[in-house]
Amino acid sequence: MSRPIHAKLDFSALEHNLRAIRRRTDARVMAVIKAEAYGHGLVRAAEALRAADGFALLDLQDAVRLREAGFRQPILLLEGFFAADELPLLAEYELASVIHSSQQLAQLSAYPRRGGLAVWLKLNTGMNRLGFTPAQFTQVLETVRRHPAVGEITLMTHFAHADDAVGVEAQLACFDALVGGQRLPRSLANSAALLRYPQTHADWVRPGISLYGASPFAEVSAEQLGLRPVMTLASEVISVTELKAGDRVGYGGSFCAERAMRIGTVACGYADGYPRHAPTGTPVLVGGQRTRTLGRVSMDMLSVDLSELPEAGIGSRVVLWGEGMPVDEVARAAGTISYELLCALARRVPIK
């Protein structure tokens, strides 16, 4: 028999989440499926998201995979091209490219082809990660407009604080001041801005984490946002141990029993994608009942508290995150974010 750990993917939830997002906006939806669709699988996630108006990802070969699989929507490379010799492939497969740097602008300027290349021009309005500065904007836009290979131009930016108290107002004001007179399509909103700031929706929204049923906000759950989890990481209890007061659990003995306890060992560890740094007390479901992890997470196993679950034993189903156990809650307990947990699912974990 194989190890009982597996990830179940509910693609009806992905479709549900897309519909939930559409109800919030009249903008076109550019579904973000980078990092193998946040760990859910590029092509299978795209199949479930066929109703999206477009797809955004990072890798040129992934974009080609989608085209060859029959997807005809706009496909956007979020970091653009990395070398001039990629430009003919963009044209061949009708792929849109973000342009965010002077190096890319120079490579585009040397490209001899005429017509058809869709460009998303990225403005740095305060994230200070990618994009042209406000001082560069007017000249860069004019250069892109004049290039004979460029077709449609979309103007975009990315918010640094859409998910926290700082908000989007300063960046939005910067963007509006720069592009106010331009009659060009615009894209600003990631999941957080889409859900919280309708004034950012513009022509294209770019939902990512919300599509997969997780919340971009620390204080608002996915359920409160009308979202359903797509990935459920589940396993089983494979061993049960009785502890007495003073017994320690796992590497380093970081957990010490203060009383007699009953604990279970679960077939899941950091080599499966569960966070090694998750502390004692991280929530988990065993047999549908909430309990907690104990001690240090090992490569292939972790320990859970069965003291208040007398019916739990070897073979009991364990949900690490997903259905009934929000990935956001697990991530918060582990001092990380749901994005990291979903993207870190190991290849060795079977998908059902």
Side-chain angles (χ1 to χ4, degrees), residues 50-122:
R50 276 194 179 272
D53 301 294
F55 296 106
L57 39 67
L58 295 186
D59 188 81
L60 175 58
Q61 294 308 313
D62 284 343
V64 170
R65 281 171 62 196
L66 287 190
R67 278 285 182 254
E68 292 182 341
F71 293 92
R72 303 315 311 161
Q73 295 100 319
I75 298 175
L76 174 66
L77 297 174
L78 286 167
E79 291 180 358
F81 50 91
F82 294 91
D85 60 8
E86 294 179 345
L87 285 165
L89 277 177
L90 300 187
E92 179 182 352
Y93 287 95
E94 299 180 344
L95 305 174
S97 175
V98 169
I99 292 182
H100 58 79
S101 71
S102 297
Q103 180 181 7
Q104 288 174 321
L105 199 61
Q107 291 168 342
L108 176 66
S109 296
Y111 181 54
R113 185 184 174 95
R114 299 186 65 85
L117 184 63
V119 166
W120 288 49
L121 189 60
K122 189 160 194 175

Side-chain angles (χ1 to χ4, degrees), residues 231-264:
M231 179 191 293
T232 295
L233 180 63
S235 189
E236 293 179 4
V237 174
I238 60 172
S239 176
V240 175
T241 302
E242 301 285 344
L243 301 182
K244 60 183 183 298
D247 285 346
R248 293 185 175 271
V249 176
Y251 286 116
S254 62
F255 175 79
C256 181
E258 296 181 352
R259 56 181 173 82
M261 296 182 66
R262 184 169 172 266
I263 69 169

Side-chain angles (χ1 to χ4, degrees), residues 6-13 17 40 212-214 222-223 227-235 283-291 317-330 341-342 352:
H6 65 277
K8 178 183 176 182
L9 302 180
D10 178 4
F11 288 113
S12 68
N17 296 337
H40 293 71
Y212 306 99
E223 184 178 9
L227 306 173
R228 289 167 38 190
V230 179
M231 179 191 293
T232 295
L233 180 63
S235 189
V284 64
L285 290 184
V286 178
Q289 302 297 309
R290 290 177 68 96
T291 186
R317 185 171 187 259
V318 177
V319 173
L320 289 311
W321 66 68
E323 186 177 356
M325 177 50 61
V327 66
D328 301 309
E329 188 176 347
V330 178
L341 299 190
L342 297 175
K352 295 188 178 181

Side-chain angles (χ1 to χ4, degrees), residues 28-329:
R28 288 176 286 179
V29 177
M30 178 71 73
V32 179
I33 55 173
K34 62 183 179 178
E36 281 292 313
Y38 291 49
H40 293 71
L42 177 73
V43 175
R44 58 180 173 243
E47 289 284 356
L49 293 168
R50 276 194 179 272
D53 301 294
F55 296 106
L57 39 67
L58 295 186
D59 188 81
L60 175 58
Q61 294 308 313
D62 284 343
V64 170
R65 281 171 62 196
L66 287 190
R67 278 285 182 254
E68 292 182 341
F71 293 92
R72 303 315 311 161
Q73 295 100 319
I75 298 175
L76 174 66
L77 297 174
L78 286 167
E79 291 180 358
F81 50 91
F82 294 91
D85 60 8
E86 294 179 345
L87 285 165
L89 277 177
L90 300 187
E92 179 182 352
Y93 287 95
E94 299 180 344
L95 305 174
S97 175
V98 169
I99 292 182
H100 58 79
S101 71
S102 297
Q103 180 181 7
Q104 288 174 321
L105 199 61
Q107 291 168 342
L108 176 66
S109 296
Y111 181 54
R113 185 184 174 95
R114 299 186 65 85
L117 184 63
V119 166
W120 288 49
L121 189 60
K122 189 160 194 175
L123 312 180
N124 175 11
T125 58
M127 181 83 167
N128 293 319
R129 192 174 63 176
L130 298 179
F132 295 98
T133 66
Q136 296 171 314
F137 168 71
T138 301
Q139 182 59 52
V140 169
L141 177 58
E142 187 59 29
T143 298
V144 173
R145 271 182 162 151
R146 288 199 307 262
H147 197 286
V150 174
E152 185 177 58
I153 300 171
T154 300
L155 304 178
M156 71 182 297
T157 195
H158 193 70
F159 294 119
H161 295 285
D163 59 345
D164 63 34
V166 174
V168 303
E169 294 306 321
Q171 285 188 257
L172 182 59
C174 178
F175 186 86
D176 287 344
L178 288 169
V179 308
Q182 304 296 331
R183 294 180 174 272
L184 295 170
R186 303 173 188 185
S187 177
L188 300 90
N190 57 2
S191 286
L194 189 165
L195 294 167
R196 182 165 281 175
Y197 299 104
Q199 68 270 36
T200 68
H201 289 186
D203 300 287
W204 286 94
V205 292
R206 307 189 304 271
I209 195 65
S210 57
L211 287 171
Y212 306 99
S215 172
F217 307 115
E219 75 285 5
V220 182
S221 71
E223 184 178 9
Q224 289 172 312
L225 294 169
L227 306 173
R228 289 167 38 190
V230 179
M231 179 191 293
T232 295
L233 180 63
S235 189
E236 293 179 4
V237 174
I238 60 172
S239 176
V240 175
T241 302
E242 301 285 344
L243 301 182
K244 60 183 183 298
D247 285 346
R248 293 185 175 271
V249 176
Y251 286 116
S254 62
F255 175 79
C256 181
E258 296 181 352
R259 56 181 173 82
M261 296 182 66
R262 184 169 172 266
I263 69 169
T265 299
V266 179
C268 177
Y270 60 78
D272 300 301
Y274 196 85
R276 182 181 180 274
H277 52 274
T280 290
T282 300
V284 64
L285 290 184
V286 178
Q289 302 297 309
R290 290 177 68 96
T291 186
R292 58 177 180 152
T293 64
L294 299 173
R296 192 175 297 170
V297 175
S298 302
M299 181 182 289
D300 310 303
M301 291 170 279
L302 57 82
S303 298
V304 294
D305 189 353
L306 303 181
S307 301
E308 306 302 323
L309 305 178
E311 296 182 0
I314 294 174
S316 290
R317 185 171 187 259
V318 177
V319 173
L320 289 311
W321 66 68
E323 186 177 356
M325 177 50 61
V327 66
D328 301 309
E329 188 176 347

